[in-house]
Amino acid sequence: MLLTGTVVADSETVLQDGAVVVSGYRIEAVGPRAELESQYADHEHQSYDVLLPGLVGGHIHSVQSLGRGIADDTELLDWLFDYILPMEASLTAEEMEVAAKLGYLEMIESGTTTCIDHLSVAHADRAFEAAGEIGIRGVLGKVLMDQRSPDGLLEDTQAALDESERLIQQYHGAYNDRIRYAVTPRFAVSCSEACLRGVRELVDKYDGVRIHTHASENQSEIETVKEDTGMRNIHWLDEVGLTGEDVVLAHCVWTDESEREVLAETGTHVTHCPSSNMKLASGIAPIWDYRDRGINVAIGNDGPPCNNTLDAFTEMRQASLLQKVDQLDPTVTPAAEIFEMATRNGAKAAGFEELGAIREGWRADIVGLDTDLTRATPLHDVLSHLVFAAHGDDVRFTMVDGNVLMEHGEVTTIDADAVRSQASTMGLEMDLEDARKSAQEQKP
C-alpha cells in the first residue's frame, strides 16, 4: 500500500509532501511523494492530510469502559473501592469482552494503535481474544489482587500467579507477536509481599514479558504502603523486585528524591496520566524532573471512569500544559518532546523495539489525520497542531502491523455499531449496590 500526505516520521522529521510504502507488516520505504508514487505506481494508493506513527497508550484500562461516568468527583481510594472494583467484580465474561472491545474500538478510532492494558482479575481471556479480533497491538495482563479486595476480585496468591502463567503461555507473542503479556499486580495496597515477589519470579522465566502496575498515585496510597512495610512505595517495589527495564509504573505522582534516583538507576518506565491525575485530584507528576534524569516517560489515558476518554491527542495536550503551569515555565515539555512520549517512549515502555516512528523496516503502525478543519487553520507547525489542537475525531485511517483497521473513518475489523449498542445496554443495566456494600468492608 502507498500512503501519501505530510509524513511526521518522528518528533524531529517531517516530510511536507511525503509518502510511505507498506509491504506485509513492515514499512518498505519512506520518502518524497513524487519519487515513491513513480516507483510504486502499481500499489493501492490512499492519501491523508497527515500521516504519523500510531500513538501508544502507556497505561489503559479497557475493561473499565462500561463504567464511563459512574464515579465523577470522587477521591482515588473512594473512587476505586466504592465504584470501580465493585463494577469489575460484577462483570460477566461477556460484559468483560464487550467492555474490552469498546475500549479498543475507541482507541482505534482515535489513533492509538498500541496499549499497555491493565485488565481485571477475571475473564482476562476475553480481552485477549477481543484484542486479537479487532487488531490492536497490546501488552495485556490479568490483574492480581490477594489482599484488601472485595468479593469477586480477591484471589489466592498462588492461584493468581498460576493463572497469569497460563495466560503467558497462551497469549504472549500471539497474533504475529502483536499481543504480548505483562504480569499485572493492581498496586501494593492490594497485593501481599508474597504476590509481588512471585510476580518477579514469574516474569524472569519468560523473555519479553513485562510488569505493569500502579505506583505512588495518591498520598493515601503511599501512607497505606508505609504503614504495611515501613517504606515509601517505590522503595518497597524495588525491594520486592518490581523495578527495572521490564517494569512500567503508572502515575508516580508522589515520589521523593531517593525514589526518583531508584527509578533512574533501574531503568524503570513511568507512564504519565495527566487527565486522570487532575480528575481524581491526585496531583501533578514531576515529569520535567523524570525526563531530566533520563527516565523514560510514556503517556496514558488511564481508564474511562477517571478520564473520561481514551483520546490520546487530548492527553498529549494535557501532559504539556500541566507541566508548564506547574513549573510556571512555558518552555518545558514542548510539542516535539510530548509527541516523543506518546510514540517512541510508549513503544519502549511496551517493549516493542521497531515501533513508535515511521522508518524503513519498522512495524507498519500508521495513523492518517484530516486537517481540513477550522481548528487546523492555518497550519503553521504540524507537531504543534498534533499536540495542542488535534482531536481523536480527526483520525480517518488506522493501520496496525500493516493491517488496515480503519479507513476513511470506518472501522473495518469489527461491527462498531453493534459494539456500541451492546455496551450501552450492558452499562446502563449494571446494578452495583450489592457489590458496593461488599467492597466497603474491604476498603483500606
Side-chain angles (χ1 to χ4, degrees), residues 56-59 116 248-251 268-274 287 290-291 295-301 315 319 337-338 340-350:
V56 180
H59 175 65
I116 305 175
V248 181
L249 299 182
H251 301 293
T268 304
H269 307 274
V270 171
T271 297
H272 180 35
C273 303
I287 298 307
Y290 293 154
R291 298 283 282 140
I295 297 168
N296 185 56
V297 179
I299 296 178
N301 290 78
E315 216 61 30
E337 184 174 314
I338 291 293
E340 185 84 355
M341 290 166 62
T343 52
R344 190 74 190 104
N345 289 8
K348 291 177 183 176

PDB file of all heavy atoms in Angstrom, residues 56-59 116 248-251 268-274 287 290-291 295-301 315 319 337-338 340-350:
ATOM      1  N   VAL A  56       0.770   5.468  21.318  1.00  0.00           N
ATOM      2  CA  VAL A  56       0.875   4.377  22.285  1.00  0.00           C
ATOM      3  C   VAL A  56       0.236   4.805  23.597  1.00  0.00           C
ATOM      4  O   VAL A  56       0.653   5.807  24.200  1.00  0.00           O
ATOM      5  CB  VAL A  56       2.344   3.976  22.522  1.00  0.00           C
ATOM      6  CG1 VAL A  56       2.424   2.836  23.538  1.00  0.00           C
ATOM      7  CG2 VAL A  56       3.001   3.560  21.213  1.00  0.00           C
ATOM      8  N   GLY A  57      -0.777   4.080  24.018  1.00  0.00           N
ATOM      9  CA  GLY A  57      -1.401   4.311  25.313  1.00  0.00           C
ATOM     10  C   GLY A  57      -0.613   3.585  26.384  1.00  0.00           C
ATOM     11  O   GLY A  57      -0.733   2.361  26.544  1.00  0.00           O
ATOM     12  N   GLY A  58       0.206   4.308  27.127  1.00  0.00           N
ATOM     13  CA  GLY A  58       1.141   3.694  28.061  1.00  0.00           C
ATOM     14  C   GLY A  58       0.519   3.148  29.326  1.00  0.00           C
ATOM     15  O   GLY A  58       1.182   2.431  30.089  1.00  0.00           O
ATOM     16  N   HIS A  59      -0.757   3.454  29.577  1.00  0.00           N
ATOM     17  CA  HIS A  59      -1.480   2.879  30.716  1.00  0.00           C
ATOM     18  C   HIS A  59      -2.963   3.045  30.433  1.00  0.00           C
ATOM     19  O   HIS A  59      -3.484   4.168  30.419  1.00  0.00           O
ATOM     20  CB  HIS A  59      -1.107   3.570  32.027  1.00  0.00           C
ATOM     21  CG  HIS A  59      -1.902   3.099  33.212  1.00  0.00           C
ATOM     22  ND1 HIS A  59      -1.832   1.807  33.695  1.00  0.00           N
ATOM     23  CD2 HIS A  59      -2.816   3.742  33.995  1.00  0.00           C
ATOM     24  CE1 HIS A  59      -2.649   1.681  34.732  1.00  0.00           C
ATOM     25  NE2 HIS A  59      -3.259   2.849  34.932  1.00  0.00           N
ATOM     26  N   ILE A 116      -0.832  -0.476  26.633  1.00  0.00           N
ATOM     27  CA  ILE A 116      -0.408  -1.286  27.770  1.00  0.00           C
ATOM     28  C   ILE A 116      -1.625  -1.343  28.679  1.00  0.00           C
ATOM     29  O   ILE A 116      -1.981  -0.355  29.328  1.00  0.00           O
ATOM     30  CB  ILE A 116       0.815  -0.683  28.471  1.00  0.00           C
ATOM     31  CG1 ILE A 116       1.958  -0.460  27.477  1.00  0.00           C
ATOM     32  CG2 ILE A 116       1.276  -1.587  29.610  1.00  0.00           C
ATOM     33  CD1 ILE A 116       3.167   0.243  28.066  1.00  0.00           C
ATOM     34  N   VAL A 248       6.735  -1.202  34.034  1.00  0.00           N
ATOM     35  CA  VAL A 248       6.027   0.040  33.715  1.00  0.00           C
ATOM     36  C   VAL A 248       5.207   0.427  34.937  1.00  0.00           C
ATOM     37  O   VAL A 248       4.318  -0.324  35.366  1.00  0.00           O
ATOM     38  CB  VAL A 248       5.101  -0.135  32.496  1.00  0.00           C
ATOM     39  CG1 VAL A 248       4.393   1.184  32.181  1.00  0.00           C
ATOM     40  CG2 VAL A 248       5.879  -0.640  31.288  1.00  0.00           C
ATOM     41  N   LEU A 249       5.501   1.588  35.504  1.00  0.00           N
ATOM     42  CA  LEU A 249       4.775   2.100  36.667  1.00  0.00           C
ATOM     43  C   LEU A 249       3.887   3.258  36.235  1.00  0.00           C
ATOM     44  O   LEU A 249       4.385   4.263  35.733  1.00  0.00           O
ATOM     45  CB  LEU A 249       5.747   2.566  37.749  1.00  0.00           C
ATOM     46  CG  LEU A 249       6.699   1.516  38.330  1.00  0.00           C
ATOM     47  CD1 LEU A 249       7.555   2.139  39.427  1.00  0.00           C
ATOM     48  CD2 LEU A 249       5.939   0.304  38.865  1.00  0.00           C
ATOM     49  N   ALA A 250       2.593   3.092  36.430  1.00  0.00           N
ATOM     50  CA  ALA A 250       1.654   4.154  36.081  1.00  0.00           C
ATOM     51  C   ALA A 250       1.585   5.186  37.200  1.00  0.00           C
ATOM     52  O   ALA A 250       1.540   4.836  38.375  1.00  0.00           O
ATOM     53  CB  ALA A 250       0.272   3.571  35.828  1.00  0.00           C
ATOM     54  N   HIS A 251       1.613   6.446  36.816  1.00  0.00           N
ATOM     55  CA  HIS A 251       1.382   7.626  37.655  1.00  0.00           C
ATOM     56  C   HIS A 251       2.664   8.196  38.267  1.00  0.00           C
ATOM     57  O   HIS A 251       3.158   9.224  37.827  1.00  0.00           O
ATOM     58  CB  HIS A 251       0.330   7.369  38.727  1.00  0.00           C
ATOM     59  CG  HIS A 251      -0.989   6.961  38.168  1.00  0.00           C
ATOM     60  ND1 HIS A 251      -1.764   7.812  37.419  1.00  0.00           N
ATOM     61  CD2 HIS A 251      -1.656   5.775  38.211  1.00  0.00           C
ATOM     62  CE1 HIS A 251      -2.855   7.185  37.028  1.00  0.00           C
ATOM     63  NE2 HIS A 251      -2.815   5.946  37.484  1.00  0.00           N
ATOM     64  N   THR A 268      13.501   1.928  35.135  1.00  0.00           N
ATOM     65  CA  THR A 268      12.055   1.700  35.209  1.00  0.00           C
ATOM     66  C   THR A 268      11.316   2.737  34.368  1.00  0.00           C
ATOM     67  O   THR A 268      11.672   3.916  34.366  1.00  0.00           O
ATOM     68  CB  THR A 268      11.589   1.780  36.674  1.00  0.00           C
ATOM     69  OG1 THR A 268      12.338   0.829  37.443  1.00  0.00           O
ATOM     70  CG2 THR A 268      10.101   1.491  36.795  1.00  0.00           C
ATOM     71  N   HIS A 269      10.296   2.292  33.654  1.00  0.00           N
ATOM     72  CA  HIS A 269       9.486   3.189  32.830  1.00  0.00           C
ATOM     73  C   HIS A 269       8.347   3.781  33.656  1.00  0.00           C
ATOM     74  O   HIS A 269       7.759   3.102  34.505  1.00  0.00           O
ATOM     75  CB  HIS A 269       8.886   2.429  31.643  1.00  0.00           C
ATOM     76  CG  HIS A 269       9.892   1.685  30.835  1.00  0.00           C
ATOM     77  ND1 HIS A 269      10.604   2.266  29.801  1.00  0.00           N
ATOM     78  CD2 HIS A 269      10.323   0.399  30.905  1.00  0.00           C
ATOM     79  CE1 HIS A 269      11.414   1.365  29.277  1.00  0.00           C
ATOM     80  NE2 HIS A 269      11.273   0.224  29.926  1.00  0.00           N
ATOM     81  N   VAL A 270       8.017   5.030  33.389  1.00  0.00           N
ATOM     82  CA  VAL A 270       6.912   5.724  34.055  1.00  0.00           C
ATOM     83  C   VAL A 270       5.889   6.143  33.010  1.00  0.00           C
ATOM     84  O   VAL A 270       6.254   6.655  31.948  1.00  0.00           O
ATOM     85  CB  VAL A 270       7.417   6.966  34.820  1.00  0.00           C
ATOM     86  CG1 VAL A 270       6.252   7.808  35.320  1.00  0.00           C
ATOM     87  CG2 VAL A 270       8.326   6.546  35.977  1.00  0.00           C
ATOM     88  N   THR A 271       4.613   5.920  33.308  1.00  0.00           N
ATOM     89  CA  THR A 271       3.551   6.426  32.435  1.00  0.00           C
ATOM     90  C   THR A 271       2.822   7.568  33.115  1.00  0.00           C
ATOM     91  O   THR A 271       2.297   7.415  34.225  1.00  0.00           O
ATOM     92  CB  THR A 271       2.543   5.316  32.075  1.00  0.00           C
ATOM     93  OG1 THR A 271       3.215   4.293  31.336  1.00  0.00           O
ATOM     94  CG2 THR A 271       1.425   5.877  31.214  1.00  0.00           C
ATOM     95  N   HIS A 272       2.808   8.697  32.445  1.00  0.00           N
ATOM     96  CA  HIS A 272       2.152   9.910  32.937  1.00  0.00           C
ATOM     97  C   HIS A 272       0.697   9.908  32.477  1.00  0.00           C
ATOM     98  O   HIS A 272       0.422   9.745  31.280  1.00  0.00           O
ATOM     99  CB  HIS A 272       2.889  11.127  32.368  1.00  0.00           C
ATOM    100  CG  HIS A 272       2.342  12.446  32.786  1.00  0.00           C
ATOM    101  ND1 HIS A 272       1.801  12.675  34.026  1.00  0.00           N
ATOM    102  CD2 HIS A 272       2.274  13.640  32.107  1.00  0.00           C
ATOM    103  CE1 HIS A 272       1.424  13.939  34.107  1.00  0.00           C
ATOM    104  NE2 HIS A 272       1.695  14.542  32.969  1.00  0.00           N
ATOM    105  N   CYS A 273      -0.227  10.079  33.417  1.00  0.00           N
ATOM    106  CA  CYS A 273      -1.671  10.077  33.121  1.00  0.00           C
ATOM    107  C   CYS A 273      -2.273  11.398  33.601  1.00  0.00           C
ATOM    108  O   CYS A 273      -2.954  11.451  34.636  1.00  0.00           O
ATOM    109  CB  CYS A 273      -2.360   8.901  33.803  1.00  0.00           C
ATOM    110  SG  CYS A 273      -1.679   7.288  33.361  1.00  0.00           S
ATOM    111  N   PRO A 274      -2.048  12.495  32.882  1.00  0.00           N
ATOM    112  CA  PRO A 274      -2.408  13.816  33.406  1.00  0.00           C
ATOM    113  C   PRO A 274      -3.892  14.019  33.640  1.00  0.00           C
ATOM    114  O   PRO A 274      -4.286  14.595  34.661  1.00  0.00           O
ATOM    115  CB  PRO A 274      -1.870  14.769  32.334  1.00  0.00           C
ATOM    116  CG  PRO A 274      -1.725  13.958  31.096  1.00  0.00           C
ATOM    117  CD  PRO A 274      -1.377  12.584  31.568  1.00  0.00           C
ATOM    118  N   ILE A 287       7.068  15.239  35.771  1.00  0.00           N
ATOM    119  CA  ILE A 287       7.567  14.701  34.516  1.00  0.00           C
ATOM    120  C   ILE A 287       8.828  15.425  34.046  1.00  0.00           C
ATOM    121  O   ILE A 287       9.758  14.818  33.515  1.00  0.00           O
ATOM    122  CB  ILE A 287       6.457  14.777  33.441  1.00  0.00           C
ATOM    123  CG1 ILE A 287       5.265  13.920  33.873  1.00  0.00           C
ATOM    124  CG2 ILE A 287       6.969  14.319  32.081  1.00  0.00           C
ATOM    125  CD1 ILE A 287       5.595  12.507  34.237  1.00  0.00           C
ATOM    126  N   TYR A 290      11.653  13.829  35.853  1.00  0.00           N
ATOM    127  CA  TYR A 290      11.928  12.477  35.357  1.00  0.00           C
ATOM    128  C   TYR A 290      12.691  12.528  34.042  1.00  0.00           C
ATOM    129  O   TYR A 290      13.641  11.787  33.823  1.00  0.00           O
ATOM    130  CB  TYR A 290      10.623  11.705  35.164  1.00  0.00           C
ATOM    131  CG  TYR A 290       9.869  11.371  36.437  1.00  0.00           C
ATOM    132  CD1 TYR A 290       8.494  11.175  36.422  1.00  0.00           C
ATOM    133  CD2 TYR A 290      10.527  11.246  37.657  1.00  0.00           C
ATOM    134  CE1 TYR A 290       7.794  10.866  37.574  1.00  0.00           C
ATOM    135  CE2 TYR A 290       9.847  10.947  38.819  1.00  0.00           C
ATOM    136  CZ  TYR A 290       8.483  10.751  38.779  1.00  0.00           C
ATOM    137  OH  TYR A 290       7.791  10.446  39.924  1.00  0.00           O
ATOM    138  N   ARG A 291      12.245  13.392  33.152  1.00  0.00           N
ATOM    139  CA  ARG A 291      12.898  13.480  31.846  1.00  0.00           C
ATOM    140  C   ARG A 291      14.343  13.972  31.989  1.00  0.00           C
ATOM    141  O   ARG A 291      15.238  13.489  31.308  1.00  0.00           O
ATOM    142  CB  ARG A 291      12.108  14.420  30.937  1.00  0.00           C
ATOM    143  CG  ARG A 291      10.694  13.969  30.644  1.00  0.00           C
ATOM    144  CD  ARG A 291      10.656  12.854  29.627  1.00  0.00           C
ATOM    145  NE  ARG A 291      10.840  13.376  28.289  1.00  0.00           N
ATOM    146  CZ  ARG A 291      11.565  12.785  27.353  1.00  0.00           C
ATOM    147  NH1 ARG A 291      12.193  11.669  27.602  1.00  0.00           N
ATOM    148  NH2 ARG A 291      11.670  13.314  26.149  1.00  0.00           N
ATOM    149  N   ILE A 295      14.782   9.231  32.789  1.00  0.00           N
ATOM    150  CA  ILE A 295      13.740   8.213  32.965  1.00  0.00           C
ATOM    151  C   ILE A 295      12.826   8.234  31.745  1.00  0.00           C
ATOM    152  O   ILE A 295      12.400   9.296  31.302  1.00  0.00           O
ATOM    153  CB  ILE A 295      12.935   8.486  34.254  1.00  0.00           C
ATOM    154  CG1 ILE A 295      13.852   8.371  35.483  1.00  0.00           C
ATOM    155  CG2 ILE A 295      11.746   7.540  34.372  1.00  0.00           C
ATOM    156  CD1 ILE A 295      13.226   8.894  36.765  1.00  0.00           C
ATOM    157  N   ASN A 296      12.539   7.078  31.200  1.00  0.00           N
ATOM    158  CA  ASN A 296      11.642   7.010  30.046  1.00  0.00           C
ATOM    159  C   ASN A 296      10.208   7.237  30.495  1.00  0.00           C
ATOM    160  O   ASN A 296       9.681   6.499  31.335  1.00  0.00           O
ATOM    161  CB  ASN A 296      11.751   5.648  29.353  1.00  0.00           C
ATOM    162  CG  ASN A 296      10.911   5.603  28.093  1.00  0.00           C
ATOM    163  OD1 ASN A 296      11.069   6.423  27.194  1.00  0.00           O
ATOM    164  ND2 ASN A 296       9.991   4.646  28.028  1.00  0.00           N
ATOM    165  N   VAL A 297       9.568   8.257  29.942  1.00  0.00           N
ATOM    166  CA  VAL A 297       8.203   8.620  30.315  1.00  0.00           C
ATOM    167  C   VAL A 297       7.278   8.450  29.115  1.00  0.00           C
ATOM    168  O   VAL A 297       7.503   9.041  28.053  1.00  0.00           O
ATOM    169  CB  VAL A 297       8.122  10.071  30.823  1.00  0.00           C
ATOM    170  CG1 VAL A 297       6.677  10.418  31.189  1.00  0.00           C
ATOM    171  CG2 VAL A 297       9.031  10.273  32.028  1.00  0.00           C
ATOM    172  N   ALA A 298       6.256   7.634  29.289  1.00  0.00           N
ATOM    173  CA  ALA A 298       5.200   7.464  28.292  1.00  0.00           C
ATOM    174  C   ALA A 298       3.972   8.249  28.748  1.00  0.00           C
ATOM    175  O   ALA A 298       3.966   8.850  29.828  1.00  0.00           O
ATOM    176  CB  ALA A 298       4.866   5.983  28.128  1.00  0.00           C
ATOM    177  N   ILE A 299       2.936   8.241  27.915  1.00  0.00           N
ATOM    178  CA  ILE A 299       1.681   8.926  28.254  1.00  0.00           C
ATOM    179  C   ILE A 299       0.535   7.928  28.172  1.00  0.00           C
ATOM    180  O   ILE A 299       0.470   7.110  27.251  1.00  0.00           O
ATOM    181  CB  ILE A 299       1.417  10.103  27.300  1.00  0.00           C
ATOM    182  CG1 ILE A 299       2.497  11.162  27.439  1.00  0.00           C
ATOM    183  CG2 ILE A 299       0.041  10.730  27.565  1.00  0.00           C
ATOM    184  CD1 ILE A 299       2.339  12.343  26.505  1.00  0.00           C
ATOM    185  N   GLY A 300      -0.385   7.999  29.135  1.00  0.00           N
ATOM    186  CA  GLY A 300      -1.549   7.115  29.131  1.00  0.00           C
ATOM    187  C   GLY A 300      -2.812   7.849  29.527  1.00  0.00           C
ATOM    188  O   GLY A 300      -2.767   8.848  30.248  1.00  0.00           O
ATOM    189  N   ASN A 301      -3.940   7.344  29.053  1.00  0.00           N
ATOM    190  CA  ASN A 301      -5.235   7.930  29.408  1.00  0.00           C
ATOM    191  C   ASN A 301      -5.789   7.398  30.710  1.00  0.00           C
ATOM    192  O   ASN A 301      -6.717   7.971  31.264  1.00  0.00           O
ATOM    193  CB  ASN A 301      -6.267   7.658  28.310  1.00  0.00           C
ATOM    194  CG  ASN A 301      -5.989   8.423  27.048  1.00  0.00           C
ATOM    195  OD1 ASN A 301      -5.118   8.043  26.267  1.00  0.00           O
ATOM    196  ND2 ASN A 301      -6.707   9.508  26.831  1.00  0.00           N
ATOM    197  N   GLU A 315      -4.729  13.781  25.616  1.00  0.00           N
ATOM    198  CA  GLU A 315      -3.772  13.511  26.687  1.00  0.00           C
ATOM    199  C   GLU A 315      -2.431  14.184  26.419  1.00  0.00           C
ATOM    200  O   GLU A 315      -1.757  14.655  27.346  1.00  0.00           O
ATOM    201  CB  GLU A 315      -3.597  12.007  26.845  1.00  0.00           C
ATOM    202  CG  GLU A 315      -3.414  11.558  28.274  1.00  0.00           C
ATOM    203  CD  GLU A 315      -4.606  11.908  29.145  1.00  0.00           C
ATOM    204  OE1 GLU A 315      -5.744  11.970  28.659  1.00  0.00           O
ATOM    205  OE2 GLU A 315      -4.386  12.132  30.356  1.00  0.00           O
ATOM    206  N   ALA A 319      -0.770  16.785  28.982  1.00  0.00           N
ATOM    207  CA  ALA A 319       0.559  16.487  29.525  1.00  0.00           C
ATOM    208  C   ALA A 319       1.476  17.694  29.423  1.00  0.00           C
ATOM    209  O   ALA A 319       2.237  17.997  30.358  1.00  0.00           O
ATOM    210  CB  ALA A 319       1.163  15.296  28.786  1.00  0.00           C
ATOM    211  N   GLU A 337       8.752  17.073  22.288  1.00  0.00           N
ATOM    212  CA  GLU A 337       9.039  16.176  23.408  1.00  0.00           C
ATOM    213  C   GLU A 337       7.797  15.381  23.803  1.00  0.00           C
ATOM    214  O   GLU A 337       7.874  14.174  24.069  1.00  0.00           O
ATOM    215  CB  GLU A 337       9.553  16.986  24.602  1.00  0.00           C
ATOM    216  CG  GLU A 337       9.976  16.139  25.788  1.00  0.00           C
ATOM    217  CD  GLU A 337      10.617  16.967  26.879  1.00  0.00           C
ATOM    218  OE1 GLU A 337      11.481  17.806  26.552  1.00  0.00           O
ATOM    219  OE2 GLU A 337      10.255  16.781  28.049  1.00  0.00           O
ATOM    220  N   ILE A 338       6.655  16.036  23.827  1.00  0.00           N
ATOM    221  CA  ILE A 338       5.410  15.351  24.169  1.00  0.00           C
ATOM    222  C   ILE A 338       5.063  14.305  23.108  1.00  0.00           C
ATOM    223  O   ILE A 338       4.641  13.183  23.419  1.00  0.00           O
ATOM    224  CB  ILE A 338       4.261  16.370  24.320  1.00  0.00           C
ATOM    225  CG1 ILE A 338       4.494  17.234  25.560  1.00  0.00           C
ATOM    226  CG2 ILE A 338       2.914  15.670  24.390  1.00  0.00           C
ATOM    227  CD1 ILE A 338       4.400  16.509  26.879  1.00  0.00           C
ATOM    228  N   GLU A 340       7.125  12.682  21.273  1.00  0.00           N
ATOM    229  CA  GLU A 340       8.046  11.567  21.503  1.00  0.00           C
ATOM    230  C   GLU A 340       7.546  10.670  22.638  1.00  0.00           C
ATOM    231  O   GLU A 340       7.614   9.437  22.568  1.00  0.00           O
ATOM    232  CB  GLU A 340       9.433  12.113  21.842  1.00  0.00           C
ATOM    233  CG  GLU A 340      10.501  11.064  21.989  1.00  0.00           C
ATOM    234  CD  GLU A 340      11.138  10.636  20.673  1.00  0.00           C
ATOM    235  OE1 GLU A 340      10.694  11.088  19.606  1.00  0.00           O
ATOM    236  OE2 GLU A 340      12.087   9.827  20.717  1.00  0.00           O
ATOM    237  N   MET A 341       7.023  11.265  23.693  1.00  0.00           N
ATOM    238  CA  MET A 341       6.493  10.494  24.809  1.00  0.00           C
ATOM    239  C   MET A 341       5.307   9.636  24.383  1.00  0.00           C
ATOM    240  O   MET A 341       5.156   8.500  24.836  1.00  0.00           O
ATOM    241  CB  MET A 341       6.081  11.442  25.942  1.00  0.00           C
ATOM    242  CG  MET A 341       7.242  12.116  26.650  1.00  0.00           C
ATOM    243  SD  MET A 341       6.734  13.529  27.688  1.00  0.00           S
ATOM    244  CE  MET A 341       5.666  12.719  28.863  1.00  0.00           C
ATOM    245  N   ALA A 342       4.477  10.163  23.493  1.00  0.00           N
ATOM    246  CA  ALA A 342       3.261   9.460  23.076  1.00  0.00           C
ATOM    247  C   ALA A 342       3.507   8.421  21.991  1.00  0.00           C
ATOM    248  O   ALA A 342       2.605   7.652  21.666  1.00  0.00           O
ATOM    249  CB  ALA A 342       2.236  10.471  22.569  1.00  0.00           C
ATOM    250  N   THR A 343       4.708   8.387  21.440  1.00  0.00           N
ATOM    251  CA  THR A 343       5.018   7.454  20.361  1.00  0.00           C
ATOM    252  C   THR A 343       6.214   6.572  20.738  1.00  0.00           C
ATOM    253  O   THR A 343       6.037   5.476  21.240  1.00  0.00           O
ATOM    254  CB  THR A 343       5.279   8.211  19.042  1.00  0.00           C
ATOM    255  OG1 THR A 343       6.276   9.237  19.257  1.00  0.00           O
ATOM    256  CG2 THR A 343       4.003   8.861  18.532  1.00  0.00           C
ATOM    257  N   ARG A 344       7.404   7.070  20.517  1.00  0.00           N
ATOM    258  CA  ARG A 344       8.604   6.250  20.722  1.00  0.00           C
ATOM    259  C   ARG A 344       8.784   5.840  22.177  1.00  0.00           C
ATOM    260  O   ARG A 344       9.115   4.684  22.465  1.00  0.00           O
ATOM    261  CB  ARG A 344       9.829   7.024  20.232  1.00  0.00           C
ATOM    262  CG  ARG A 344      11.081   6.184  20.177  1.00  0.00           C
ATOM    263  CD  ARG A 344      11.082   5.209  19.013  1.00  0.00           C
ATOM    264  NE  ARG A 344      12.192   4.252  19.127  1.00  0.00           N
ATOM    265  CZ  ARG A 344      12.066   2.992  19.501  1.00  0.00           C
ATOM    266  NH1 ARG A 344      10.876   2.484  19.770  1.00  0.00           N
ATOM    267  NH2 ARG A 344      13.118   2.203  19.584  1.00  0.00           N
ATOM    268  N   ASN A 345       8.572   6.763  23.108  1.00  0.00           N
ATOM    269  CA  ASN A 345       8.743   6.402  24.514  1.00  0.00           C
ATOM    270  C   ASN A 345       7.720   5.359  24.945  1.00  0.00           C
ATOM    271  O   ASN A 345       8.023   4.459  25.732  1.00  0.00           O
ATOM    272  CB  ASN A 345       8.611   7.636  25.407  1.00  0.00           C
ATOM    273  CG  ASN A 345       9.790   8.581  25.286  1.00  0.00           C
ATOM    274  OD1 ASN A 345      10.648   8.391  24.434  1.00  0.00           O
ATOM    275  ND2 ASN A 345       9.814   9.613  26.100  1.00  0.00           N
ATOM    276  N   GLY A 346       6.496   5.490  24.439  1.00  0.00           N
ATOM    277  CA  GLY A 346       5.484   4.491  24.744  1.00  0.00           C
ATOM    278  C   GLY A 346       5.851   3.124  24.210  1.00  0.00           C
ATOM    279  O   GLY A 346       5.643   2.097  24.865  1.00  0.00           O
ATOM    280  N   ALA A 347       6.418   3.104  22.998  1.00  0.00           N
ATOM    281  CA  ALA A 347       6.853   1.838  22.411  1.00  0.00           C
ATOM    282  C   ALA A 347       7.960   1.200  23.244  1.00  0.00           C
ATOM    283  O   ALA A 347       7.991  -0.024  23.443  1.00  0.00           O
ATOM    284  CB  ALA A 347       7.323   2.066  20.975  1.00  0.00           C
ATOM    285  N   LYS A 348       8.875   2.020  23.753  1.00  0.00           N
ATOM    286  CA  LYS A 348       9.944   1.497  24.613  1.00  0.00           C
ATOM    287  C   LYS A 348       9.358   0.906  25.892  1.00  0.00           C
ATOM    288  O   LYS A 348       9.789  -0.165  26.340  1.00  0.00           O
ATOM    289  CB  LYS A 348      10.929   2.612  24.961  1.00  0.00           C
ATOM    290  CG  LYS A 348      11.778   3.100  23.798  1.00  0.00           C
ATOM    291  CD  LYS A 348      12.663   4.267  24.235  1.00  0.00           C
ATOM    292  CE  LYS A 348      13.461   4.829  23.070  1.00  0.00           C
ATOM    293  NZ  LYS A 348      14.257   6.027  23.473  1.00  0.00           N
ATOM    294  N   ALA A 349       8.408   1.610  26.482  1.00  0.00           N
ATOM    295  CA  ALA A 349       7.770   1.093  27.696  1.00  0.00           C
ATOM    296  C   ALA A 349       7.079  -0.232  27.430  1.00  0.00           C
ATOM    297  O   ALA A 349       7.119  -1.151  28.251  1.00  0.00           O
ATOM    298  CB  ALA A 349       6.782   2.120  28.244  1.00  0.00           C
ATOM    299  N   ALA A 350       6.445  -0.345  26.270  1.00  0.00           N
ATOM    300  CA  ALA A 350       5.730  -1.567  25.908  1.00  0.00           C
ATOM    301  C   ALA A 350       6.672  -2.695  25.510  1.00  0.00           C
ATOM    302  O   ALA A 350       6.256  -3.857  25.441  1.00  0.00           O
ATOM    303  CB  ALA A 350       4.754  -1.280  24.768  1.00  0.00           C
TER     304      ALA A 350
END
